[in-house]
Amino acid sequence: MATLSSLQSRIDQIDGFLVESVKDVCSTMLSWTATEAPGGLTDPAAFQLGAVSGCIGFAGGMTGSIFLSCSDALAEAMARTILGGGGVPHPQDVSDVVAELTNMLAGGCKSRLCDQECPVVMSIPNIIRGQAIRAFSRDITFMLKREFSLSISGGEKLQVIILGKFD
Amino acid sequence: MATLSSLQSRIDQIDGFLVESVKDVCSTMLSWTATEAPGGLTDPAAFQLGAVSGCIGFAGGMTGSIFLSCSDALAEAMARTILGGGGVPHPQDVSDVVAELTNMLAGGCKSRLCDQECPVVMSIPNIIRGQAIRAFSRDITFMLKREFSLSISGGEKLQVIILGKFD
């Protein structure tokens, strides 16, 4: 029971870090307010990715991955907001912006984990683009999945998934 | 020049580790002979993934990722070879087998890097499934892409990509 409740409290903590980090990154980089939908912990299982996703691996006190995932339309809106200009941004610029946001999000979680004596290192962002993509991770003890509404028109949602296991 | 040639020799070394590790994993796990096509170093750019890909992140002396990627048919053949049985294996079993092979491949590269004083840690495998998926990584200094022919009928190729930067 002690182990289970300690795992639960670490998962609650990382859920809080995820929500804080998403809000921080949206506010700092996009001047958008992000509001989390109820949810969080879910059973580890295959999950659907949006058309544009960033992914970064963690190792150390927590080994796993974080995904930031959204539609093409939302990824383009983020690129326009950060890079300026109108129209449809170049796909490479869109990938760069999603990579940078994923990097900041992972960095936010990393520094919060390190502050709480769960030191982790992170890899670099990979961007995955396509339709109807499914992702899956094996041997994980937790999976947190959060959807965020954003203070822009269009009602597009940002999806963030963090999954892994503790050392 | 010294820095450039030292980078080149590290990239040549990691290319050798990749080829050795793929051959080892195919031989040990599948009793297949893998033969590399000419190639290796390529300009960092977006790249196409097959229908089933495993991906693991590295951090440490080398920060980056490794992808093992193939068609549905080859992923199913690998699952049948490892798990036994005929017919079409369950998609979850196929994902598990590709995750395990990616883990062994990344582990082979990791131990060879650590032996050569380039200590790295690795995250856990993510499996990405879908059609016409493109991937991209930013801020990398090298990208190695290798195709392997396999000693099974069908002519299916295994694709392995390793990309990143050195500390």
Side-chain angles (χ1 to χ4, degrees):
Chain A
M1 278 306 285
T3 309
L4 257 184
S5 80
S6 132
L7 176 63
Q8 185 59 49
S9 80
R10 297 180 89 172
I11 293 169
D12 289 345
Q13 193 177 48
I14 207 166
D15 185 39
F17 295 165
L18 181 161
V19 171
E20 281 173 27
S21 301
V22 170
K23 286 171 184 261
D24 269 9
V25 171
C26 287
S27 162
T28 310
M29 297 296 289
L30 298 156
S31 302
W32 293 355
T33 304
T35 308
E36 74 276 21
L41 192 61
T42 178
D43 284 336
F47 55 98
Q48 193 84 30
L49 290 177
V52 188
S53 302
C55 172
I56 293 187
F58 292 105
M62 192 273 280
T63 303
S65 303
I66 190 165
F67 290 83
L68 180 152
S69 187
C70 65
S71 67
D72 276 316
L74 180 52
E76 287 167 5
M78 295 191 296
R80 267 195 306 271
T81 303
I82 288 178
L83 303 174
V88 179
H90 190 279
Q92 182 64 56
D93 291 337
V94 173
S95 292
D96 275 335
V97 162
V98 175
E100 178 57 24
L101 294 171
T102 308
N103 204 42
M104 294 189 68
L105 173 59
C109 292
K110 176 192 158 167
S111 65
R112 287 171 171 86
L113 282 164
C114 290
D115 286 348
Q116 296 299 318
E117 294 173 4
C118 181
V120 292
V121 289
M122 56 191 243
S123 66
I124 49 180
N126 292 311
I127 296 297
I128 308 285
R129 301 187 70 153
Q131 303 301 320
I133 299 175
R134 286 181 72 74
F136 160 78
S137 280
R138 218 186 40 155
D139 298 336
I140 55 176
T141 53
F142 74 91
M143 175 167 164
L144 292 159
K145 213 165 133 187
R146 283 275 186 188
E147 250 190 20
F148 294 83
S149 304
L150 302 164
S151 57
I152 50 163
S153 61
E156 295 281 350
K157 300 280 200 295
L158 190 66
Q159 190 184 200
V160 179
I161 297 123
I162 191 162
L163 42 79
K165 57 185 175 186
F166 292 98
D167 196 15
Chain B
M1 280 304 285
T3 309
L4 257 184
S5 80
S6 131
L7 176 63
Q8 185 59 48
S9 80
R10 296 180 90 172
I11 292 169
D12 288 346
Q13 194 177 48
I14 207 166
D15 185 40
F17 295 164
L18 181 161
V19 171
E20 280 173 27
S21 302
V22 170
K23 286 172 185 259
D24 269 9
V25 171
C26 286
S27 162
T28 311
M29 297 296 289
L30 299 156
S31 302
W32 293 354
T33 303
T35 308
E36 73 276 21
L41 192 62
T42 178
D43 285 336
F47 55 98
Q48 193 85 27
L49 290 177
V52 188
S53 302
C55 172
I56 291 186
F58 292 106
M62 191 274 281
T63 302
S65 303
I66 190 165
F67 290 84
L68 180 152
S69 186
C70 65
S71 67
D72 276 318
L74 180 52
E76 287 167 5
M78 296 192 295
R80 267 195 306 272
T81 303
I82 289 178
L83 303 175
V88 178
H90 191 279
Q92 183 64 56
D93 291 337
V94 173
S95 292
D96 275 335
V97 162
V98 175
E100 179 57 25
L101 294 171
T102 307
N103 204 43
M104 293 189 69
L105 173 59
C109 292
K110 176 193 159 170
S111 66
R112 286 170 171 88
L113 282 164
C114 291
D115 286 348
Q116 296 299 319
E117 294 173 3
C118 180
V120 292
V121 289
M122 56 191 243
S123 66
I124 48 180
N126 291 312
I127 295 297
I128 309 285
R129 301 188 70 154
Q131 303 302 320
I133 299 176
R134 287 182 71 75
F136 160 79
S137 280
R138 218 186 40 154
D139 299 335
I140 54 174
T141 53
F142 73 91
M143 174 168 166
L144 292 157
K145 214 165 133 186
R146 283 276 185 188
E147 250 189 22
F148 294 82
S149 303
L150 303 164
S151 59
I152 51 162
S153 61
E156 294 282 349
K157 300 279 201 294
L158 191 65
Q159 190 183 200
V160 179
I161 297 123
I162 190 162
L163 42 79
K165 57 186 176 185
F166 292 98
D167 196 15

